[in-house]
Amino acid sequence: MLQIKRKINATQSLMKITRAMEMVARAKVRKIESEYQKFKPFYDEVKRLWALVPAESLDPIFFEEGNRDLIVVITSDMGLCGSFNSEILREAERVISESRDPHLILVGLKAINHFKDGKVLKMYDRFYEIPDFRNGSTIVEDILNFLDGKPARVRVIFSRFKNVLIQRPEVHELLPIKKEEKKREDFEYEPRLEQIAPLIFHYYLSATLMELMFQTKIGEYYARQNAMKNATDNAQEVIRELTLAYNKARQASITQELIEIVTGAEALKEIEK
């Protein structure tokens, strides 16, 4: 019985931790969703601006696939979020296996620990809690340094937030550019279009990476919230079963003591006769 009691106490302590972590994840997801709602109008405007840039004003290498692959893998820094990271890493392994001369940029400790022995260009742990433009711009600079005037295929492995219960890994192809030419009005640019087009392109890539980091971080918090809720529910069920086993053991012990008392009393009656 003492062993069962210790298990109950240990499970109750664990349940307090999982409940607290669930509450923390819930608070963080509310905060980051609020920031994401602020970011969306900005991203929509960046995409609108990007649509106005004619393809011929950009370097031709951005439209060519080349014979090299750069893969950006975005995971979380922490675990305790179910299969969230393992699904991203599995998708990344699939993409890497199909790539030609793959090089990696790793964002998040889970990605770093998993792929640290590969051809890693950059590693970023604890890179962001809420994505900002500097995060996206930093990775874009790494990508442009890797290109170094030569074409390459650049893809980002991240987690797409579907709903509270579903987050799925996806592959976003950043380069080569697949730009659809749409009918647009003629504008006069100051400074010249050839000067500002690369800046708009850099801005667009940075904002796109921010979007993918937002998606991944929101999915991470929801995955952790769900995992901790399930852990709390499981702990409650374990406590219920252990309590039932403890009560049965205690009742059996009491019954045994009563039997011994009755047996002893009957034995004394026999001696007195």
Side-chain angles (χ1 to χ4, degrees):
M1 284 196 301
L2 182 60
Q3 187 177 7
I4 295 175
K5 189 66 175 176
R6 286 174 178 168
K7 287 183 179 179
I8 291 173
N9 292 337
T11 307
Q12 286 175 335
S13 298
L14 180 63
M15 187 175 68
K16 291 178 182 178
I17 295 172
T18 57
R19 184 177 285 124
M21 292 186 70
E22 178 191 349
M23 293 172 65
V24 169
R26 185 179 290 116
K28 285 186 174 182
V29 81
R30 282 200 296 266
K31 181 178 179 181
I32 198 167
E33 281 187 321
S34 174
E35 294 296 325
Y36 181 58
Q37 292 304 316
K38 298 175 187 176
F39 166 74
K40 283 174 68 177
F42 166 77
Y43 186 45
D44 291 339
E45 188 63 23
V46 170
K47 288 190 290 185
R48 187 192 67 80
L49 181 62
W50 168 244
L52 298 175
V53 177
E56 60 270 16
S57 63
L58 295 168
D59 193 320
I61 69 162
F62 296 132
F63 298 88
E64 301 172 18
E65 192 167 293
N67 55 9
R68 300 177 299 160
D69 286 87
L70 177 59
I71 300 165
V72 182
V73 184
I74 304 175
T75 63
S76 72
D77 291 303
M78 297 174 58
L80 298 176
C81 45
S83 61
F84 176 80
N85 287 304
S86 61
E87 289 177 355
I88 298 174
L89 296 173
R90 194 179 304 117
E91 181 67 11
E93 286 178 344
R94 183 191 67 78
V95 172
I96 291 170
S97 67
E98 299 172 355
S99 300
R100 304 152 300 178
D101 189 22
H103 294 72
L104 304 175
I105 294 177
L106 306 176
V107 180
L109 276 173
K110 294 301 178 180
I112 292 171
N113 292 335
H114 191 81
F115 292 114
K116 61 184 177 183
D117 296 327
K119 291 183 179 178
V120 180
L121 296 179
K122 292 284 185 176
M123 296 186 292
Y124 296 102
D125 63 289
R126 308 192 186 281
F127 189 45
Y128 70 98
E129 279 296 323
I130 296 175
D132 61 32
F133 193 79
R134 288 171 297 178
N135 300 134
S137 182
T138 298
I139 297 177
V140 171
E141 288 295 333
D142 294 335
I143 292 171
L144 296 178
N145 289 336
F146 172 77
L147 294 179
D148 193 24
K150 301 174 184 177
R153 190 180 185 188
V154 181
R155 286 169 290 176
V156 183
I157 317 297
F158 71 107
S159 179
R160 173 75 66 184
F161 173 70
K162 300 290 185 180
N163 56 50
V164 174
L165 298 175
I166 301 174
Q167 307 85 33
R168 289 180 181 157
E170 286 189 9
V171 181
H172 180 86
E173 188 158 304
L174 212 59
L175 293 175
I177 301 171
K178 294 180 174 61
K179 190 169 175 57
E180 296 180 4
E181 287 297 331
K182 299 179 180 178
K183 184 179 179 180
R184 61 184 185 276
E185 300 178 14
D186 291 328
F187 294 94
E188 289 186 3
Y189 295 90
E190 181 65 33
R192 289 181 302 137
L193 182 59
E194 291 74 13
Q195 292 177 288
I196 64 171
L199 299 177
I200 296 173
F201 178 55
H202 192 294
Y203 220 78
Y204 170 71
L205 292 183
S206 300
T208 299
L209 283 163
M210 280 183 67
E211 164 73 13
L212 303 184
M213 285 188 280
F214 262 116
Q215 290 283 329
T216 302
K217 185 61 75 171
I218 292 171
E220 174 196 344
Y221 286 145
Y222 270 116
R224 183 169 294 114
Q225 177 183 311
N226 295 335
M228 291 301 99
K229 183 180 185 305
N230 291 337
T232 301
D233 293 342
N234 291 338
Q236 289 176 332
E237 180 61 22
V238 169
I239 290 172
R240 189 189 68 79
E241 292 177 357
L242 287 173
T243 302
L244 184 61
Y246 177 81
N247 290 337
K248 286 182 178 179
R250 186 177 64 176
Q251 289 172 357
S253 176
I254 293 171
T255 302
Q256 182 63 32
E257 290 178 2
L258 288 173
I259 291 173
E260 290 174 359
I261 292 170
V262 171
T263 302
E266 292 295 329
L268 285 175
K269 287 181 182 178
E270 290 295 328
I271 292 172
E272 290 174 355
K273 288 179 180 180

